[in-house]
Amino acid sequence: PDLSVLVNNAGVYMSEQVMTEDGYEMTWQVNHLAMMLLTEQLLLTVKDNMPARIVNVSSIAHMRGSIAFDNLNGEREYDAYAAYAQSKLANVFFTYELAAKLHGSGITANCLHPGVIGTKLLREGFGIDGASVEEGAATSVHLASADEVADVSGKYFVRMQQTPSSPTSYDLELMRRLWDVSEQQIRKAMEA
């Protein structure tokens, strides 16, 4: 099958802790583990269609996120915003590590903040409305199709512009540790 662009744009904001049947907190599993698993499962198909692009929708919320390895599932405490911000930081880490692993392969990987968009997630999670869905899709479409970013990889974008992500997101040791832990979690879920 033809697949030269993969846009990962699934996301939830859970006001209360909900555990999945795989044993993971819902925000963590949907926003991070599922993105990583889907990308891994489609990577061979993407490689067959190079040049190709992988676009991961994160959020500006990653700026306030931290990776609490002892609380990835809210084991110690659950805070909805902290869980969401952690998952969105994980999206940035995943993108940067994936870009490094794919360097020189003909596949780029970038992530983005879509803006504060009037989605169900925003209304139910934060009680506010935002910009149009079309505006929210603009940066994803740009990264998926624009010639000027065809060779750009491992970057974070806001309003179609390359922008620095949080200082934490450049911590290579943390990034690689998260990759390894996430891989273990995915394998465990798949074996269950």
Side-chain angles (χ1 to χ4, degrees), residues 17-35:
Q17 182 186 36
V18 175
M19 300 302 286
T20 68
E21 63 183 55
D22 295 320
Y24 297 110
E25 188 275 319
M26 181 76 73
T27 306
W28 183 248
Q29 183 162 334
V30 172
N31 294 4
H32 171 59
L33 295 178
M35 175 187 290

Side-chain angles (χ1 to χ4, degrees), residues 73-177:
N73 291 301
E75 298 92 335
R76 290 185 296 110
E77 63 180 305
Y78 183 77
D79 175 271
Y81 187 81
Y84 182 76
Q86 174 178 257
S87 73
K88 292 302 169 179
L89 176 58
N91 294 157
V92 178
F93 275 138
F94 169 63
T95 303
Y96 289 175
E97 184 68 5
L98 180 65
K101 289 180 181 301
L102 295 173
H103 181 75
S105 71
I107 304 171
T108 62
N110 291 295
C111 56
L112 65 114
H113 167 58
V116 178
I117 308 303
T119 61
K120 180 180 174 185
L121 184 150
L122 186 69
R123 287 188 297 277
E124 291 183 6
F126 297 92
I128 59 174
D129 206 3
S132 72
V133 173
E134 292 79 13
E135 186 176 328
T139 302
S140 292
V141 171
H142 175 74
L143 290 172
S145 61
D147 289 341
E148 61 262 31
V149 293
D151 298 319
V152 176
S153 191
K155 303 299 180 190
Y156 174 75
F157 286 77
V158 178
R159 294 190 182 116
M160 297 183 275
Q161 299 297 313
Q162 187 177 318
T163 306
S165 53
S166 72
T168 302
S169 70
Y170 298 104
D171 183 328
L172 297 179
E173 184 177 327
L174 191 56
M175 182 185 312
R176 291 181 183 129
R177 181 178 176 201

Side-chain angles (χ1 to χ4, degrees), residues 39-64:
T39 302
E40 287 181 1
Q41 290 184 330
L42 294 174
L43 203 51
L44 288 177
T45 304
V46 172
K47 285 180 178 178
D48 288 341
N49 292 279
M50 294 186 296
R53 304 177 192 199
I54 298 171
V55 179
N56 297 322
V57 178
S58 180
S59 168
I60 199 163
H62 90 276
M63 296 278 192
R64 298 177 82 185

